[in-house]
Amino acid sequence: MRSSMSAYGYDYRTLRVVRDGALLQISLNRPQVLNALTLELLLELRGALEGAADDEVRAVLLSGEGRGFCAGADLSAGGLAVAEAGGDVTETVERFYNPVVRALLALRKPVIAAVNGVAAGAGMSLALACDLRLLSEEAAFTLGFSRIGLALDASMSYTLPRLVGPARALELAYSGRKLDAREALALGLGELVLSADGFAAAATEFARALSEGPTQSFARIKAQLAASPGNTLGAQLALEARLQGEASRTEDFAEGLRAFAEKRPPIFRGR
Ligand code: T3D
């Protein structure tokens, strides 16, 4: 298996991790099985995502090597990785899947999924836990879980109804049917469909622009929108007032004002 060195000097066996300025690119790297998830991969991904909390990283791009994004739990041993974990499935989900999702959702910076191919089961969950999804025209989604008699996991039951509404979420979960990129876009599961030719470069360009943006502003916008569905109007207005106060004390806000006065593009440093 190919290994890859991260900006933090860790030698990954199942990921490719590359620092490109302030952008951290993480690619799932088991292309022969469409990047299906093993416990080793989940542990490595958790480590890479926790490392991405570093202030020097100002955006994260998650993708898959080869023709797939991620085919969900690795079924090649004829079953789930639970045997490998030596426990039951609840324990596997809590110990291996949930920390990855928590690390992904906790990042106070833009996290973009570049969905280069099929995303199934928990692989789709990972894509939906990102802030935005750029879809190659060859991308596809399938929940997959019910097709093998499972329930949802890896935050699918949290993110999916928020993105598409509860009834559509049920329809997609019951059927496990495959959505192509255009239908996924129409349902709100992606923000942009890009040509498969040059997809990786276009997605990197998109993410790099975000990594050079006002990271402090982005972090607070992300927190406001994440809190919104569970808040009353009063609580949300209070949150807006507090986070706007914080944003107004950042260097990036001062730079934004200076650049406006000087009629030039701002140079944000994420501070
Ligand atoms: O304890 C726990 O882990 C609980 C957590 C569970 C969470 C879950 O994710 S459950 C859902 C698990 N995933 C699936 O059920 C998806 C299974 N795969 C598929 O349905 C299809 O492969 C796809 C729709 C994803 C892609 O179809 P297609 O036709 O483009 O490709 P393919 O030919 O089926 O797959 C290509 C290769 O990848 C093939 O290997 P081969 O024949 O070339 O040697 C196939 O076996 C392998 N592969 C695909 N998915 C998986 C996989 N190998 C291991 N695990 C997989 N999930």
Side-chain angles (χ1 to χ4, degrees):
M1 198 174 301
R2 196 145 61 94
S3 56
S4 125
M5 196 69 83
S6 82
Y8 307 97
Y10 186 78
D11 195 9
Y12 292 98
R13 281 166 44 86
T14 63
L15 303 179
R16 201 172 69 85
V17 179
V18 176
R19 257 294 287 283
D20 169 9
L23 176 65
L24 188 72
Q25 301 187 46
I26 302 175
S27 292
L28 310 180
N29 192 14
R30 303 186 68 231
Q32 67 285 8
V33 285
L34 305 178
N35 304 311
L37 303 167
T38 56
L39 300 187
E40 180 185 32
L41 188 152
L42 290 166
L43 283 174
E44 289 198 337
L45 186 54
R46 175 186 181 174
L49 291 169
E50 288 176 352
D54 186 321
D55 285 344
E56 299 294 307
V57 174
R58 293 168 56 198
V60 175
L61 184 65
L62 180 67
S63 195
E65 294 291 310
R67 76 171 175 90
F69 177 77
C70 175
D74 191 309
L75 306 175
S76 56
L80 296 167
V82 59
E84 204 187 324
D88 66 11
V89 173
T90 297
E91 194 186 332
T92 308
V93 170
E94 283 179 344
R95 282 182 51 211
F96 294 91
Y97 286 83
N98 290 354
V100 169
V101 172
R102 285 186 202 284
L104 200 49
L105 292 170
L107 287 170
R108 292 168 45 79
K109 57 199 73 179
V111 181
I112 299 103
V115 187
N116 51 304
V118 68
M124 179 172 170
S125 302
L126 289 180
L128 298 197
C130 296
D131 298 344
L132 302 173
R133 282 147 294 282
L134 305 179
L135 309 180
S136 154
E137 56 195 359
E138 289 174 354
F141 288 115
T142 165
L143 272 83
F145 299 94
S146 67
R147 294 173 80 94
I148 55 168
L150 287 180
L152 309 181
D153 68 14
S155 75
M156 177 66 80
S157 64
Y158 182 87
T159 55
L160 185 67
R162 284 170 165 76
L163 288 168
V164 302
R168 179 61 70 189
L170 273 175
E171 183 269 317
L172 295 174
Y174 285 162
S175 67
R177 72 186 172 85
K178 208 164 170 185
L179 307 174
D180 66 15
R182 293 283 161 201
E183 189 182 359
L185 180 75
L187 288 179
L189 292 172
E191 279 58 58
L192 216 53
V193 175
L194 299 166
S195 161
D197 249 6
F199 175 70
T204 301
E205 208 39 58
F206 184 99
R208 186 180 295 121
L210 287 174
S211 78
E212 292 167 357
T215 315
Q216 296 289 323
S217 157
F218 289 161
R220 291 179 174 84
I221 290 169
K222 185 167 169 172
Q224 290 170 333
L225 294 178
S228 176
N231 262 348
T232 60
L233 174 63
Q236 198 64 21
L237 290 175
L239 180 68
E240 286 185 357
R242 181 166 68 76
L243 296 189
Q244 195 67 299
E246 290 176 13
S248 72
R249 295 189 286 277
T250 63
E251 287 178 28
D252 281 347
F253 176 56
E255 165 62 6
L257 288 182
R258 259 193 319 271
F260 177 76
E262 293 166 11
K263 300 189 186 304
R264 61 167 173 84
I267 301 170
F268 292 121
R269 305 208 182 279
R271 293 194 283 262

